[in-house]
Amino acid sequence: MRRNLGIISIIVMVFGIMSVWLTKYSDFFADYYLQIIPISIVIALILALLSEKGIWRRIAFRN
């Protein structure tokens, strides 16, 4: 499971960034994107810290 945490971290970060773009198309994201972004950054950081050492961990920390 720890091997996949780096990939999941990257996906969570991309979702947080995409929420800004989704504000054009959804009222939910327009109302809550300022809360979604910091939460996704914190979750992605925690997942990157818990991930197994390797290429995905390095990529997760570079985002």
Side-chain angles (χ1 to χ4, degrees):
M1 181 65 187
R2 289 184 64 180
R3 183 178 356 166
N4 298 329
L5 288 179
I7 298 169
I8 295 170
S9 170
I10 294 168
I11 292 170
V12 169
M13 182 63 73
V14 168
F15 175 75
I17 293 170
M18 291 296 290
S19 69
V20 176
W21 179 72
L22 290 172
T23 57
K24 295 180 181 179
Y25 305 109
S26 174
D27 291 332
F28 174 78
F29 287 104
D31 293 338
Y32 295 107
Y33 81 95
L34 289 176
Q35 297 169 355
I36 293 172
I37 293 171
I39 291 171
S40 68
I41 290 172
V42 169
I43 291 172
L45 179 63
I46 291 170
L47 290 174
L49 287 171
L50 295 175
S51 68
E52 187 176 283
K53 291 183 180 178
I55 187 74
W56 291 111
R57 183 177 181 159
R58 282 189 244 142
I59 293 171
F61 276 121
R62 304 270 178 185
N63 284 338

